Amino acid sequence: MAWQTVTDWITYALFAASGFFFFAGSVGLVRFPDVYTRLHALTKSDNLGLGLASAGLAVQSGSWVVAAKLLLIWMIVIVAGATACYLVANSARNSGVEPWTGGDR
Amino acid sequence: MSETPTAITPRQRLRRLPGRAVGMLLVWFVVTEADIPSLVIGVPIALAAAVLSVALQPRSLSGVYLPGAIRFARFFAVNSVLGGIDVAFRALGPRMRLEPAIVHYPLRISGAFPRVFFANTISMLPGTLSSRLTSDTVEVHVLDCTRPVIEDLAQVEERVADLFGAQLSPHEGGAVL
Amino acid sequence: MTLALQILATVILLTVALGIYRIERGPTGTDRMLSAMLFGTSGVALTLVLGELTGLHGLRDMALVFALLGALTAVAFVKRAWGADD
């Protein structure tokens, strides 16, 4: 198998996983019962989706500098996402939004 | 690792400058995708950014311990993937297994930066989300309180302490509300 | 590869559509903010994928700027939400 074919298949696998996590994160955003549980879906799934998409693109580019740049973008999104997640959860707590604890299905 | 935020002397600032400048140059190099001619602008800008960043830094940050950082990166990579898988299957599953609870976890780790770093790390790991950080506890929203959440958090805290080259005393537990 | 990129771009757009549903339903401003955060992440991913698809590698710089702006939107929202609630 040619090298190009190998990298292509790695990219396909990473893209498929990426699409799965993006989709699952949004389904969580729609289905989960309250702000806090929706935040869980958002911060974890979507950041992982972006990471896998970036990894796939990095494999395709075949360049270390481009891979480093994609990694840098991903790290910025993670740090921003984790901070934003804390700020939103904290402001919800401070304004008295009670966490959902089950029951009303 | 010092508990109180210590002011930095001008000499300490000066000593940090070369490392910071190299870091900024590296970022420029990566962002421009190794465009050599752009270094004409990049070198002065990276130097200016390094000077500004060292001059404006309010207090000394806890230093990072390299072997700990490598262990932390590996731990974080594995667990953030597990976190994504966990929440993805909860979202897509027909019954959505959710047993949310608020947990109060007493902090052992000291220093402002390591604590914020710990709170942010919690949000990226499976089933936990930090929602309030006070001087001695972190309040965590958990997706599934049937899991050993306190033990998991203690392990994450030890990893973060390791990243900053610190040791922690055995944990005393927290409260699941 | 073009097809794979197109499929991924479509899936990411689908997540944006689901986010719009959450904005429509709300119920609180915080819930709507979550969709804005989602658009931040999926916007970065979509920009990167379209950059590869079209060969416009400058779009990577745009994704970088989106990533940096994403940090500011949540801060701005929380500041305003606090101001409004108090």
Side-chain angles (χ1 to χ4, degrees), chain A residues 31 44 69 86 90 93-94, chain B residues 31 91 93 125 131 133 139:
Chain A
R31 285 184 79 196
K44 292 166 189 87
K69 187 172 179 178
Y86 173 81
N90 189 257
R93 287 291 285 160
N94 285 341
Chain B
V31 167
L125 297 186
S131 58
L133 184 64
E139 186 190 275

Side-chain angles (χ1 to χ4, degrees), chain A residues 20-31 41-42 45-46, chain B residues 91, chain C residues 11-12 14-19 22 38 42:
Chain A
F20 170 76
F21 284 114
F22 265 116
F23 180 71
S26 298
V27 169
L29 186 66
V30 169
R31 285 184 79 196
L42 205 61
S45 269
D46 284 7
Chain C
V11 171
I12 294 168
L14 187 65
T15 73
V16 173
L18 290 172
R22 178 47 69 201
L38 167 75
S42 44

Side-chain angles (χ1 to χ4, degrees), chain A residues 10-100:
Chain A
I10 293 170
T11 305
Y12 294 146
L14 289 167
F15 280 1
S18 164
F20 170 76
F21 284 114
F22 265 116
F23 180 71
S26 298
V27 169
L29 186 66
V30 169
R31 285 184 79 196
F32 280 174
D34 73 348
V35 169
Y36 305 101
T37 46
R38 285 173 201 150
L39 261 177
H40 277 278
L42 205 61
T43 48
K44 292 166 189 87
S45 269
D46 284 7
N47 286 328
L48 191 55
L50 176 62
L52 291 163
S54 306
L57 292 171
V59 169
Q60 272 309 296
S61 78
S63 146
W64 283 108
V65 181
V66 171
K69 187 172 179 178
L70 292 167
L71 181 69
L72 179 71
I73 293 172
W74 185 47
M75 279 165 67
I76 290 170
V77 171
I78 283 205
V79 172
T83 309
C85 171
Y86 173 81
L87 289 173
V88 170
N90 189 257
S91 85
R93 287 291 285 160
N94 285 341
S95 55
V97 179
E98 284 299 314
W100 177 90

Side-chain angles (χ1 to χ4, degrees), chain B residues 75 103 105-109 118 122 125 128 138 140 148-162 168-174:
Chain B
F75 174 79
V103 171
Y105 181 81
L107 285 166
R108 290 175 289 164
I109 200 165
F118 176 47
I122 287 173
L125 297 186
T128 54
V138 58
V140 181
V149 182
I150 303 288
E151 286 73 15
D152 287 351
L153 288 173
Q155 201 201 350
V156 176
E157 194 181 22
E158 274 148 31
R159 291 291 179 174
V160 174
D162 185 32
L168 295 177
S169 51
H171 84 100
E172 287 151 20

Side-chain angles (χ1 to χ4, degrees), chain B residues 12-131:
Chain B
Q12 283 173 312
R13 286 183 198 278
L14 210 59
R15 217 180 309 148
R16 292 213 169 90
L17 193 56
R20 202 65 61 91
V22 170
M24 294 289 178
L25 257 181
L26 202 64
V27 170
W28 179 277
F29 189 74
V30 167
V31 167
T32 58
E33 297 175 18
D35 183 35
I36 301 295
S38 82
L39 288 176
V40 177
I41 310 164
V43 171
I45 291 203
L47 286 178
V51 169
L52 264 180
S53 126
V54 169
L56 294 176
Q57 189 179 330
R59 63 183 86 87
S60 66
L61 298 172
S62 309
V64 168
Y65 169 64
L66 194 63
I70 293 165
R71 281 193 289 269
F72 177 82
R74 205 168 46 201
F75 174 79
F76 184 82
V78 171
N79 280 279
S80 61
V81 171
L82 292 178
I85 292 172
D86 173 70
V87 85
F89 282 102
R90 279 176 208 276
L92 296 173
R95 284 192 54 249
M96 280 202 297
R97 296 168 297 110
L98 293 176
E99 295 286 336
I102 296 281
V103 171
H104 288 268
Y105 181 81
L107 285 166
R108 290 175 289 164
I109 200 165
S110 60
F113 183 57
R115 285 182 168 185
V116 172
F117 193 92
F118 176 47
N120 274 357
T121 306
I122 287 173
S123 300
M124 302 309 300
L125 297 186
T128 54
L129 187 90
S130 57
S131 58

Side-chain angles (χ1 to χ4, degrees), chain C:
Chain C
M1 188 46 66
T2 309
L3 182 65
L5 287 163
Q6 283 166 343
I7 291 171
L8 184 58
T10 311
V11 171
I12 294 168
L13 276 175
L14 187 65
T15 73
V16 173
L18 290 172
I20 290 171
Y21 172 79
R22 178 47 69 201
I23 292 184
E24 163 67 23
R25 287 291 300 273
T28 67
T30 313
D31 291 292
R32 298 192 170 95
M33 183 61 212
L34 298 186
S35 293
M37 285 166 66
L38 167 75
F39 296 167
T41 316
S42 44
V44 170
L46 195 58
T47 311
L48 288 172
V49 170
L50 291 181
E52 184 71 23
L53 200 54
T54 57
L56 289 172
H57 294 307
L59 287 182
R60 283 200 279 264
D61 295 315
M62 220 169 101
L64 188 64
V65 174
F66 279 161
L68 291 167
L69 281 176
L72 297 181
T73 51
V75 176
F77 169 78
V78 167
K79 286 253 173 195
R80 291 212 40 173
W82 267 332
D85 283 349
D86 289 342

